[in-house]
């Protein structure tokens, strides 16, 4: 139960970022700038919450910054015709450099942000309920917000007229244009929405996970979210399930880091008893921390490599003309 609860909390920022990636790529624009949107959202949330004392205003600021970066990506790709990969990399570099510089200025060279308040729990009385309490917000409001976001994005994409246009633009932009859809405008709006979700995911990192902002707070989570989009076959529910798998991997590495493999110690002790001496069997049985830290990213690589089955992206992904 503790492992599942840890996985839920670890997965929360990835859920928001992956949903942002689903919206962006479902509408036909590759978006590897999720990493930068997460990082910028984390910084904006911390900065505003630190100066106002209100984490909810910080959350709003994170969404606004995510929208601005989504619009920047849309402008670069749709108006300036910059390659979407290059634009995404530029957003990531911009966010990394700018947040680091501003953090240094604000912290007077210590590069350690001050502590801020978390959003708080919705139903703290349910904190003793394993898993269910976490899902209902007994420990943090971010987990139920992430669940609501998954349900909302699924409903929006598959049960509304706007969602039908979104899928049409992503699958056959020429046909959507012939049907009267303003393709570039639709892509701009959905990229902004995706940026808002990624920014909110970043807010979790500074408001809830650590309570402060540190350099490179996103730590590659945006790339994991992109892998989850592919893993989940560009579907909101599939991406959320993939994120949970990655979250379980990260929670597992936190749990097992520095601990011996279950059952291995007894096996090695038996080997020692039959005469094999001079070996630190406890050390041999312990999984290296570097391997465990890499576990979530190895899962992401498997997803990108198609190890778990063939994935077919939206037919119009990358078709800008």
């Amino acid at each position: 139960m503790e492992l599942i609860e840890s996985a839920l909390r670890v997965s929360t920022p990835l859920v928001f970022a992956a949903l942002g990636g689903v919206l962006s790529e479902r509408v036909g624009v590759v978006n590897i700038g999720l990493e930068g949107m997460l990082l910028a959202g984390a910084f904006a949330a911390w900065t505003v919450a630190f100066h106002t004392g209100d984490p909810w205003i910080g959350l709003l600021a994170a969404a606004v910054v995510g929208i601005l970066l989504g619009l920047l990506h849309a402008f670069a790709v749709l108006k300036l015709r910059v390659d979407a990969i290059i634009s995404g990399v530029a957003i990531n570099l911009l966010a990394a450099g700018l947040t680091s510089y501003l953090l240094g200025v604000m912290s007077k060279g210590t590069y350690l942000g001050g502590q801020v308040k978390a959003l708080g729990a919705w139903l703290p009385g349910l904190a003793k309920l394993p898993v269910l309490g976490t899902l209902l917000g007994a420990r943090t409001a971010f987990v139920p917000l992430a669940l609501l976001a998954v349900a909302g994005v699924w409903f929006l994409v598959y049960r509304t007229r706007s969602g039908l246009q979104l899928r049409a633009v992503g699958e056959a932009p020429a046909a959507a244009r012939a049907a009267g859809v303003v393709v570039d405008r639709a892509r701009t709006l959905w990229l902004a929405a995706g940026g808002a979700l990624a920014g909110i995911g970043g807010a979790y990192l500074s408001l809830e996970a650590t309570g402060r902002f540190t350099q490179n707070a996103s730590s590659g989570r945006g790339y994991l979210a992109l892998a989850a989009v592919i893993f989940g076959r560009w579907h909101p529910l599939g991406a959320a399930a993939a994120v949970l798998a990655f979250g379980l991997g990260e929670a597992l590495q936190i749990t097992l880091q520095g601990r011996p493999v279950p059952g291995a110690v007894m096996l090695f002790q038996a080997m020692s008893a039959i005469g094999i001496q001079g070996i630190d069997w406890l050390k041999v049985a312990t999984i290296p921390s570097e391997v465990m830290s890499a576990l979530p990213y190895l899962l992401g690589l498997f997803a990108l490599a198609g190890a778990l089955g063939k994935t077919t992206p939206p037919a119009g992904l990358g078709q800008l003309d």
Side-chain angles (χ1 to χ4, degrees):
M1 289 298 181
E2 290 180 2
L3 183 65
I4 295 174
E5 289 197 2
S6 178
L8 287 172
R9 292 192 292 271
V10 167
S11 301
T12 297
L14 294 177
V15 167
F16 286 109
L19 291 175
V22 168
L23 293 181
S24 300
E25 301 211 348
R26 266 291 185 177
V27 84
V29 180
V30 176
N31 189 3
I32 68 168
L34 295 173
E35 174 75 5
M37 294 173 185
L38 272 173
L39 185 59
F43 180 79
W46 169 76
T47 301
V48 174
F50 183 75
H51 287 94
T52 65
D54 190 335
W56 287 99
I57 299 179
L59 181 67
L60 178 62
V64 170
V65 167
I67 289 172
L68 292 177
L69 288 179
L71 292 174
L72 176 62
H73 188 47
F75 178 75
V77 174
L78 302 177
K79 296 298 182 183
L80 302 182
R81 295 301 179 185
V82 175
D83 183 83
I85 302 295
I86 295 175
S87 176
V89 170
I91 287 174
N92 293 341
L93 294 175
L94 173 65
L98 190 58
T99 56
S100 180
Y101 170 74
L102 293 176
L103 178 63
V105 171
M106 294 174 64
S107 65
K108 298 181 180 179
T110 64
Y111 292 94
L112 183 63
Q115 195 74 25
V116 296
K117 294 191 301 182
L119 291 184
W122 281 356
L123 300 170
L126 301 179
K128 293 183 179 180
L129 290 177
V131 181
L132 181 61
T134 300
L135 291 173
L136 295 177
R139 293 171 178 82
T140 171
F142 272 103
V143 173
L145 284 175
L147 295 176
L148 290 173
V150 172
V153 169
W154 173 84
F155 182 82
L156 193 61
V157 171
Y158 290 99
R159 291 294 184 270
T160 67
R161 180 181 178 85
S162 297
L164 178 62
Q165 292 181 349
L166 161 73
R167 288 179 284 130
V169 169
E171 292 291 343
R177 188 178 291 109
V181 178
V182 183
V183 171
D184 281 359
R185 183 172 66 187
R187 283 175 165 166
T188 299
L189 291 175
W190 287 112
L191 281 170
L197 287 168
I200 292 172
Y204 175 89
L205 300 175
S206 57
L207 297 181
E208 187 69 36
T210 61
R212 63 175 76 239
F213 181 81
T214 57
Q215 281 184 296
N216 193 31
S218 51
S219 301
R221 290 179 177 86
Y223 301 112
L224 272 182
L226 183 61
V229 173
I230 300 170
F231 194 109
R233 291 171 170 79
W234 292 268
H235 191 286
L237 301 182
V243 162
L244 184 58
F246 296 162
L248 281 171
E250 187 163 349
L252 187 63
Q253 68 93 358
I254 293 171
T255 302
L256 294 182
Q257 205 168 75
R259 297 185 181 182
V261 177
V265 174
M266 295 179 62
L267 174 62
F268 290 145
Q269 286 176 342
M271 295 174 65
S272 179
I274 63 175
I276 303 178
Q277 304 292 337
I279 299 176
D280 185 352
W281 294 115
L282 181 61
K283 184 176 181 180
V284 172
T286 301
I287 302 175
S289 60
E290 294 81 5
V291 173
M292 295 308 301
S293 298
L295 182 58
Y297 300 94
L298 291 174
L299 290 174
L301 285 175
F302 284 137
L304 291 172
L308 300 178
K310 182 180 179 181
T311 57
T312 303
L317 185 61
Q319 296 181 16
L320 301 180
D321 295 317

